[in-house]
Amino acid sequence: SAARNHRKIHGTFARKDDSMPGAISTYRDLDVWKKSVDLVVDVYRLCKQLPDSERFGLISRMQRAATSIPVNIAEGHGRYRT
């Protein structure tokens, strides 16, 4: 049956084989990961425009928060790929 060819992951169904067209083989294939990396670049660019007095306050927090997004996506993708 068709249900045997799929497994349930977080409320959605994913095919067991990765040979289908458009299959995600790595987190780098995910559009959301690509956009999150763009966000990191934008945040770092923006932080260069802020005063040095914010170096260990706002800048540090913004950079850590932005960087955590693609890291968490990659970690979550890896968790369900093994």
Side-chain angles (χ1 to χ4, degrees):
S1 97
R4 287 188 203 143
N5 293 330
H6 295 77
R7 61 183 168 188
K8 192 167 186 174
I9 300 175
H10 285 287
T12 62
F13 287 93
R15 289 186 57 87
K16 286 185 180 179
D17 64 84
D18 292 331
S19 62
M20 70 181 195
I24 303 297
S25 61
T26 176
Y27 62 88
R28 289 183 178 105
D29 294 334
L30 298 168
D31 289 337
V32 68
W33 183 83
K34 293 173 188 176
K35 288 180 182 185
S36 70
V37 171
D38 291 341
L39 175 66
V40 172
V41 172
D42 290 344
V43 166
Y44 271 77
R45 190 177 300 126
L46 173 67
C47 287
K48 286 182 181 179
Q49 299 173 12
L50 295 174
D52 287 337
S53 62
E54 294 293 340
R55 174 75 45 210
F56 298 107
L58 182 61
I59 292 174
S60 177
R61 286 191 300 252
M62 286 174 61
Q63 290 175 338
R64 280 196 320 263
T67 304
S68 74
I69 298 167
V71 169
N72 287 330
I73 292 169
E75 180 182 325
H77 184 263
R79 186 173 298 149
Y80 295 102
R81 299 298 299 168
T82 57

